[in-house]
Amino acid sequence: MSAELPALLSGVAFAAGAMAATAAAIGKPRGLPLRAAVATIWGRLPQPKHARAADLRIAGLSPAAYTAQRALSLAGGAVAGAVAALLWTRTAISALTVGALCTAAGWMLPVQGLRDTSKRARNELDQVIRLWIVLAAQLVSAGAEPANAMIQAADAGQRPAWRLLRRHLLAAQNERRHAADGLADLVERYGLTSLAQAVGAFAMAAHRGTRMADAVLAAADNLWRDTLQREREIAERRNQVIVLPATAVALALAAILIYPPFVSLTGGIVATGP
């Protein structure tokens, strides 16, 4: 391994030099304190793509914080790869492979974390809005005015998703817009594509003067049917996941039970044969 040590050290030195050159290219503005200079440098770094902006918003991460996470994770992956290559590899090819894999894992780890966090938050918000529409429909059926029913239904829960929904509805109301517009803003901002059709019906009813009560009831009925269909699909997938291993276990047990008598029977036939 002593032969590969200079090569590894040279690679680490090259990476450090590249990072220093990048920092120099970005440049620290003169006359600014260190904290302000760091904020300025983060602002000059490449921002996440627009497709990931909704994930950042629903996960509660700013683009600068996400960029910092990826940079730190990349550096950690590179260091871990260098240490692993130094301790557990014997050839230059294996050392480069381990280093590249660890670096790539460090670069992609924040992406996977963001994807999982945003998916959980989006699923929770999706369920909250579906339940909210059903509650609003019940209030409308009881005789409440649709706009008031929407605000009242948003008071049903205290979790962050409920507060976020109520905040968007009240923001639209304070701007002298319909509550359906606040719902549309929420769906667009956080990428809730599964609710786009129902929200579009709300907005269309609000702007065309159609009875909002009918729109609320129709949206609740459609979302209820969609929810039932999704639950059926999830149940079918779970059954498939359960049935296949169960079938394999049953076949294995059958083989275990049948094999000894079969061997004994065939062995006896062979032993007593001519």
Side-chain angles (χ1 to χ4, degrees):
M1 187 61 195
S2 58
E4 286 82 13
L5 181 59
L8 289 176
L9 294 178
S10 300
V12 173
F14 174 78
M19 294 177 66
T22 303
I26 295 174
K28 175 184 179 299
R30 296 181 179 180
L32 284 180
L34 179 60
R35 186 173 182 178
V38 171
T40 303
I41 290 173
W42 283 129
R44 295 179 182 178
L45 290 174
Q47 298 300 314
K49 296 180 180 179
H50 177 71
R52 199 169 291 157
D55 291 344
L56 290 174
R57 283 193 289 264
I58 201 168
L61 274 176
S62 66
Y66 178 68
T67 303
Q69 284 184 3
R70 295 202 74 178
L72 292 175
S73 182
L74 176 65
V79 172
V83 172
L86 182 63
L87 295 178
W88 296 309
T89 60
R90 294 293 180 268
T91 63
I93 295 178
S94 61
L96 291 176
T97 302
V98 169
L101 290 176
C102 290
T103 303
W107 178 247
M108 294 304 299
L109 186 62
V111 177
Q112 186 61 43
L114 174 64
R115 185 178 295 116
D116 294 340
T117 302
S118 62
K119 182 179 180 180
R120 288 194 300 268
R122 188 172 284 113
N123 289 338
E124 181 182 2
L125 187 57
D126 182 278
Q127 295 174 1
V128 164
I129 293 178
R130 289 172 183 270
L131 179 58
W132 167 79
I133 290 177
V134 173
L135 294 176
Q138 292 176 351
L139 292 174
V140 169
S141 298
E145 198 274 327
N148 294 332
M150 291 181 181
I151 302 298
Q152 292 174 11
D155 293 330
Q158 298 298 325
R159 293 180 62 84
W162 284 99
R163 293 198 297 268
L164 181 64
L165 172 61
R166 178 177 174 80
R167 187 164 63 248
H168 277 77
L169 296 176
L170 290 177
Q173 191 178 60
N174 293 335
E175 295 172 0
R176 299 186 181 278
R177 297 187 297 156
H178 200 278
D181 293 335
L183 181 62
D185 294 340
L186 176 65
V187 169
E188 181 180 0
R189 178 175 176 81
Y190 296 107
L192 303 174
T193 55
S194 62
L195 298 172
Q197 184 175 359
V199 172
F202 271 32
M204 186 179 298
H207 292 292
R208 291 187 177 182
T210 309
R211 289 188 59 196
M212 280 300 298
D214 295 339
V216 171
L217 294 175
D221 183 65
N222 292 334
L223 287 178
W224 179 254
R225 296 176 185 274
D226 180 64
T227 301
L228 290 179
Q229 181 63 29
R230 290 170 62 182
E231 292 295 333
R232 291 193 189 99
E233 293 176 356
I234 293 174
E236 290 176 358
R237 287 197 295 267
R238 288 176 179 173
N239 290 336
Q240 292 176 359
V241 171
I242 293 173
V243 166
L244 291 178
T247 303
V249 170
L251 292 176
L253 289 175
I256 292 173
L257 294 174
I258 294 174
Y259 182 73
F262 178 77
V263 171
S264 177
L265 179 62
T266 56
I269 294 174
V270 173
T272 58

